[in-house]
Each structure stands twice: as C-alpha cells, then as structure tokens.
Amino acid sequence: MPHIETARVNEVIGVHIGTIQETAQMLNVNCDLQELEAHLATLERAVADLKESLAGIPHKPAQT
C-alpha cells in the first residue's frame, strides 16, 4: 500500500479510536443510568464504525 493510502488508513483508524477513548473516559460510577446507557450506545456505535472501517481494508482478520 502506498504511503499516502497508509497515512489515510491510519487517520481513519485514529479518528475512530479517539472517539472510543473519549467516550470511554465519560463512563464512571457517578453517572445515572440514562447517562450510562447513552455513553454505552455512543461507544457501541464507535466500535461498530471502527469494525466497519477495518472490514474495508485488505488485511488478515483476527481469528476468534
């Protein structure tokens, strides 16, 4: 993969990881249940978006 494509892939992955990290930092025991559910929904969407982006990149998927 040429360098420009690699940089773009890294940028896309980085954006998704940044969203996941920011959302995860909002989780704490002092949140009320509605707030926790909202943060978890955002986190689930961010993880799904990252998985979707990774699926579009040719690579060997992790074996589960």
Side-chain angles (χ1 to χ4, degrees), residues 1 5 17 19 27 39 43:
M1 188 178 326
E5 290 178 23
I17 290 172
T19 302
L27 298 173
H39 292 321
L43 191 56

Side-chain angles (χ1 to χ4, degrees), residues 10-52:
N10 288 342
E11 180 182 341
V12 168
I13 292 170
V15 167
H16 291 305
I17 290 172
T19 302
I20 292 167
Q21 289 173 330
E22 288 175 15
T23 304
Q25 288 177 351
M26 292 184 220
L27 298 173
N28 70 61
V29 296
N30 297 321
C31 291
D32 63 29
L33 292 180
Q34 288 178 324
E35 202 174 5
L36 270 175
E37 286 178 340
H39 292 321
L40 286 175
T42 303
L43 191 56
E44 288 172 345
R45 271 192 308 277
V47 170
D49 289 345
L50 176 57
K51 285 182 176 182
E52 185 178 324

